[in-house]
Amino acid sequence: MVTPAKINLTLEVLGQRPDGYHELATWMIPIGLYDELAMELSGEMTYESNLTSLPFDSSNLISKAIDRFHEETDRRATYRIDLRKQIPIGAGLGGGSSDAAAALLLLNQLHQNPLTDEKLARLAAQLGSDVPFFLKRCAAWCTGRGEKMEMREFPHDRWVVLIKPEFGVSTAAAYSAYKVLPSELKRGQTKKTEWGLLRNDLEQPVFQKYLLLPEIKSWLEQQPETELALMSGSGSTMFAVVKSVDDGEQVSGRFSLFFGFKFWVQVCRLNPG
Ligand code: C5P
């Protein structure tokens, strides 16, 4: 099963919740960048991946998804698992959450659908705030801690240039830094676009620590092809929305000339459908 990455076209942090999480309003849009997860029933548990730095232990969201699915359905089985990752980790592109959602969908299929959509969504939310979004893979307005969704279409033909430096950012660390920001810095810089007023409130806390990211953002904003430049989620990926794949390739080629090649750079379709 191929499973997509996402970007946050806007991410507003509305306040802190009694459970320690933050109340959000975010417009999440799938992008044409995919991991591929295969799972089948097998006499023993095996795990293979092109990404050797991601162990199959309790930190791996696929392993957690299997454990939670077994608990919830009272079933036990072993699987042959193969994960081909293209979505970088620590990138704010939702790769781990997307893999977890794909695992839940595949497990439910392999066991003849014991869980309803509603139960799957509840289980997904326990695995991570944006896992429910990846069960549906549609442009959506997400609230609560990110797990409550209503469809909000993005009916425009656009592409994104994604730029990720060598380092990643931990989501928990980004929110911890957000918590201690003075209130005048708690709102990201707003950009007026034809799709609304868009911003990412996690930029300020993350930019304070990773000084390269605001530099990339202002460089992207200066490119004539760029319609919007923002950080995705808690970073470290910066993205620019452009009108065509050609525009995207112009921007990405110019970026590499200017900043060098020590970056992961991709051009892909926004909301591929
Ligand atoms: O839910 P998820 O695993 O993505 O969250 C990772 C961490 O990010 C949480 O442990 C929490 O510290 C922080 N977070 C938050 N508010 C949210 C989502 C995540 O504070 N709405």
Side-chain angles (χ1 to χ4, degrees):
M1 173 180 283
V2 292
T3 190
K6 58 83 182 167
I7 58 162
N8 303 74
L9 209 57
T10 196
L11 192 164
E12 300 170 18
V13 182
L14 305 176
Q16 213 178 316
R17 301 160 35 128
D19 63 6
Y21 281 82
H22 291 79
E23 196 68 20
L24 301 183
T26 179
W27 194 6
M28 296 216 280
I29 320 256
I31 57 176
L33 168 73
Y34 304 91
D35 284 349
E36 187 160 4
L37 178 66
M39 280 180 90
E40 58 188 31
L41 292 164
S42 162
E44 56 173 339
M45 196 74 140
T46 60
Y47 174 79
E48 272 187 47
S49 176
N50 60 329
L51 191 75
T52 47
S53 60
L54 185 70
F56 194 67
D57 59 16
S58 58
S59 69
N60 187 313
L61 277 180
I62 297 172
S63 162
K64 275 194 196 162
I66 295 171
D67 290 346
R68 287 296 296 112
F69 182 87
H70 284 171
E71 278 168 32
E72 193 69 25
T73 57
D74 219 10
R75 289 164 203 236
R76 296 287 173 272
T78 46
Y79 310 90
R80 189 192 69 77
I81 301 163
D82 188 274
L83 176 66
R84 300 287 119 191
K85 275 206 85 65
Q86 289 194 64
I87 309 170
I89 54 178
L93 298 173
S97 301
S98 189
D99 299 342
L104 288 179
L105 292 170
L106 288 169
L107 285 162
N108 210 34
Q109 271 172 25
L110 288 170
H111 291 275
Q112 282 80 45
N113 302 310
L115 296 184
T116 59
D117 285 359
E118 225 166 71
K119 279 199 178 144
L120 272 178
R122 202 163 347 115
L123 207 56
Q126 291 167 9
L127 293 170
S129 305
D130 54 9
V131 180
F133 166 81
F134 289 104
L135 292 174
K136 296 274 180 256
R137 303 126 175 244
C138 296
W141 185 249
C142 302
T143 54
R145 39 180 195 99
E147 88 288 15
K148 292 186 197 152
M149 286 168 38
E150 61 185 76
M151 296 307 133
R152 181 184 283 195
E153 253 319 314
F154 182 81
H156 311 281
D157 187 15
R158 289 294 189 279
W159 292 73
V160 280
V161 182
L162 306 169
I163 293 169
K164 182 189 171 288
E166 287 177 305
F167 58 84
V169 174
S170 132
T171 303
Y175 280 101
S176 299
Y178 179 87
K179 248 179 238 176
V180 296
L181 276 183
S183 54
E184 66 274 17
L185 295 180
K186 278 190 146 75
R187 175 180 284 238
Q189 183 192 37
T190 301
K191 170 88 177 164
K192 194 170 172 206
T193 72
E194 63 178 284
W195 316 300
L197 294 174
L198 306 175
R199 65 179 207 254
N200 181 342
D201 291 342
L202 292 177
E203 282 186 346
Q204 292 283 358
V206 173
F207 285 4
Q208 281 185 349
K209 180 162 179 202
Y210 299 101
L211 303 180
L212 181 58
L213 298 181
E215 224 179 285
I216 295 172
K217 174 168 170 157
S218 60
W219 185 89
L220 286 171
E221 282 180 324
Q222 285 162 31
Q223 305 314 300
E225 297 86 352
T226 299
E227 295 182 282
L228 168 73
L230 278 179
M231 184 173 82
S232 184
S234 54
S236 58
T237 303
M238 305 300 300
F239 68 83
V241 177
V242 296
K243 283 206 162 76
S244 67
V245 65
D246 287 350
D247 281 359
E249 274 161 12
Q250 290 283 335
V251 173
S252 67
R254 220 177 291 135
F255 179 86
S256 297
L257 283 178
F258 198 82
F259 282 87
F261 289 92
K262 278 189 142 189
F263 291 83
W264 175 86
V265 180
Q266 290 275 315
V267 178
C268 55
R269 197 182 271 281
L270 184 56
N271 206 25

